[in-house]
Amino acid sequence: MIKTFKLWFLVVCATVMLGSCGALKTPVIIKNAPIEGYRYVFVTPTKELTSSAGGTYGGQYGVYGTTTTRSVNPSDVISGELIKRGFVVLPELKSELNNKTLIVNYGESGRRNRGLGYTIEVTIQFISAESHEIVCTCTAEGQGETEADDIRHAIRRALSGLFDNE
């Protein structure tokens, strides 16, 4: 009976560990038009998210705990990545630059259980400021220690998927 329980426990632990080690889904990029002709971006503002992760552990001298708190503002991460790639971030839309400007929208588009945690999926949409047509979208998931880490990782994976595969 005890040997059966130990074997069952070992199988469950191995299944959980293998499930948490699986790869994140490949970013999904949908390009309706080339983005190479655009030089300016207007990134729609987002609110800052603060998240925490913590744990406790015990030893012979007592119980101890640790907490990690992180914040992320998705529009700041997107702006930084686009600046790094040579785009000029506009503080507001300018009609005289509409033919060279992309409007960038951000949204969380899903969650998926993965091992002992979960991933957060984000979608970033690029719209022509002139025609209001969708130029492209990129979707990716991320997983880190906190939700803020998940979002930051997902944004970077989505934009890398868009720009590094050109």
Side-chain angles (χ1 to χ4, degrees):
M1 174 80 167
I2 296 206
K3 285 185 178 184
T4 305
F5 176 76
K6 285 181 181 178
L7 181 61
W8 179 82
F9 182 75
L10 183 63
V11 168
V12 169
C13 287
T15 303
V16 168
M17 295 305 270
L18 289 174
S20 65
C21 295
L24 295 172
K25 291 180 183 175
T26 303
V28 175
I29 311 302
I30 300 171
K31 283 182 128 181
N32 299 324
I35 62 171
E36 291 76 19
Y38 295 94
R39 179 164 160 47
Y40 305 97
V41 292
F42 172 76
V43 181
T44 306
T46 59
K47 293 183 180 179
E48 182 176 74
L49 168 82
T50 301
S51 59
S52 299
T56 58
Y57 58 94
Q60 74 184 58
Y61 299 109
V63 177
Y64 305 94
T66 60
T67 304
T68 302
T69 301
R70 295 202 176 98
S71 298
V72 65
N73 186 325
S75 61
D76 288 347
V77 176
I78 293 168
S79 294
E81 290 293 319
L82 293 175
I83 288 168
K84 193 164 61 172
R85 296 174 192 289
F87 287 92
V88 176
V89 176
L90 300 174
E92 60 187 36
L93 289 171
K94 298 185 184 260
S95 58
E96 64 272 13
L97 299 175
N98 276 355
N99 63 335
K100 296 179 188 173
T101 302
L102 291 167
I103 300 169
V104 183
N105 295 317
Y106 159 88
E108 290 184 30
S109 50
R111 289 179 186 245
R112 179 174 67 96
N113 288 330
R114 184 170 170 254
L116 298 175
Y118 60 88
T119 65
I120 294 179
E121 179 186 83
V122 303
T123 299
I124 302 169
Q125 179 185 62
F126 293 81
I127 300 171
S128 165
E130 184 175 48
S131 67
H132 297 281
E133 296 290 324
I134 297 174
V135 175
C136 63
T137 60
C138 47
T139 300
E141 62 182 9
Q143 185 174 17
E145 189 176 339
T146 65
E147 284 191 4
D149 294 336
D150 297 351
I151 291 168
R152 188 177 287 107
H153 189 218
I155 289 170
R156 289 189 173 130
R157 288 186 74 237
L159 293 175
S160 289
L162 174 63
F163 292 107
D164 295 345
N165 290 328
E166 292 182 337

